[in-house]
C-alpha cells in the first residue's frame, strides 16, 4: 500500500513519500513503550493552595449540575493566566432527555471561548460525586488537547472525587497518548 504523508505529519495527496505497510513482516516492526506519571494526593490539603482552590471551585460548580438521568454530577474549573491576571471559568454537566447534554469540562472550556481566551490555559480541575477521582471522557480529552496546543505548554489536570483523593497529571498526553491534533492536519 502506498500512502502520501506531508511534511507536517498529516496525510495528503501532495509531498508524496512512500510508506510500505509491512504488516506481514514482523522484522520491520518496532515497539515503543509510552508511560505517564500520575501524582496521587490523599487529601486536598496536600495540594498547593492555587490547585486546592481550583478543585474547591470545581466542587462549587458541581452543585449546579443538572443530571436527572445519569445522577452523575460533574463540576470543572479552568484557570487561565493572561497578562499577569488569573481568570477562572467553571462548568458542570447539563443533561437532557435526548442524552445530548454538555459535559462539565466542555462547558468550562466554552467559557474561555466565549471570552475569546483560547490561549493561556494553565490548569483544569474536574470533580464528581464519585468516591474516586473522575477522569475526563474521550471527547473532553480531545477538547483539552486542543486548548493545550493553543496554550503551547502542558496543562496541569487535577481529577478529584468526593473522598478527597486527587490525581494530578501534567499534560493531556498522559490521558490521551498518541493524540490527534492540529499538527496532524495538512492543507491539501
Amino acid at each position: 500500500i502506498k500512502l502520501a504523508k506531508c511534511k507536517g505529519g498529516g496525510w495528503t495527496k501532495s509531498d508524496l513519500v512512500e510508506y510500505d505497510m509491512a504488516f506481514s513482516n514482523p522484522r520491520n516492526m518496532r515497539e515503543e513503550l509510552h508511560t505517564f506519571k500520575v501524582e496521587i494526593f490523599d487529601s486536598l490539603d496536600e495540594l498547593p493552595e492555587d490547585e486546592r482552590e481550583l478543585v474547591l471551585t470545581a466542587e462549587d460548580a458541581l452543585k449546579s449540575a443538572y443530571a436527572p438521568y445519569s445522577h452523575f454530577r460533574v463540576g470543572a474549573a479552568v484557570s487561565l493566566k493572561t497578562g499577569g491576571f488569573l481568570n477562572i471559568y467553571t462548568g458542570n454537566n447539563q443533561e437532557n432527555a435526548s442524552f445530548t447534554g454538555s459535559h462539565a469540562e466542555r462547558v468550562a472550556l466554552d467559557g474561555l471561548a466565549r471570552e475569546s481566551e483560547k490561549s493561556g490555559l494553565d490548569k483544569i480541575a474536574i470533580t464528581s460525586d464519585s468516591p474516586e477521582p473522575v477522569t475526563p471522557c474521550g471527547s473532553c480529552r480531545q477538547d483539552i488537547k486542543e486548548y493545550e496546543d493553543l496554550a503551547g505548554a502542558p496543562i496541569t489536570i487535577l481529577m478529584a472525587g468526593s473522598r478527597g483523593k486527587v490525581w494530578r497529571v501534567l499534560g493531556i498526553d498522559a490521558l490521551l497518548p498518541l493524540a490527534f491534533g492540529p499538527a496532524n492536519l495538512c492543507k491539501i
Side-chain angles (χ1 to χ4, degrees), residues 146-157:
E146 202 73 24
Y147 279 88
E148 184 176 278
D149 286 354
L150 290 169
I155 296 169
T156 299
I157 303 167

Side-chain angles (χ1 to χ4, degrees), residues 51-181:
E51 292 180 359
R52 183 174 53 252
E53 290 300 319
L54 195 63
V55 172
L56 291 171
T57 302
E59 287 178 357
D60 283 344
L62 170 75
K63 296 171 186 172
S64 300
Y66 180 69
Y69 307 104
S70 71
H71 305 288
F72 188 77
R73 298 181 318 150
V74 180
V78 296
S79 66
L80 177 80
K81 288 185 178 178
T82 56
F85 295 98
L86 180 66
N87 295 315
I88 298 193
Y89 298 86
T90 62
N92 47 49
N93 58 322
Q94 298 294 311
E95 295 180 352
N96 61 48
S98 69
F99 295 99
T100 58
S102 300
H103 295 193
E105 303 92 326
R106 295 178 104 175
V107 172
L109 292 169
D110 287 348
L112 298 177
R114 279 191 305 277
E115 301 296 324
S116 299
E117 300 285 355
K118 295 188 177 181
S119 63
L121 180 60
D122 181 45
K123 296 176 180 161
I124 183 168
I126 306 147
T127 190
S128 77
D129 291 328
S130 172
E132 291 299 312
V134 64
T135 62
C137 74
S139 182
C140 290
R141 291 174 192 208
Q142 186 67 43
D143 282 358
I144 294 167
K145 162 112 177 99
E146 202 73 24
Y147 279 88
E148 184 176 278
D149 286 354
L150 290 169
I155 296 169
T156 299
I157 303 167
L158 303 158
M159 298 156 283
S162 64
R163 290 193 183 145
K165 186 187 287 186
V166 180
W167 296 340
R168 177 172 62 191
V169 298
L170 180 61
I172 192 61
D173 288 345
L175 301 178
L176 191 64
L178 306 174
F180 181 85

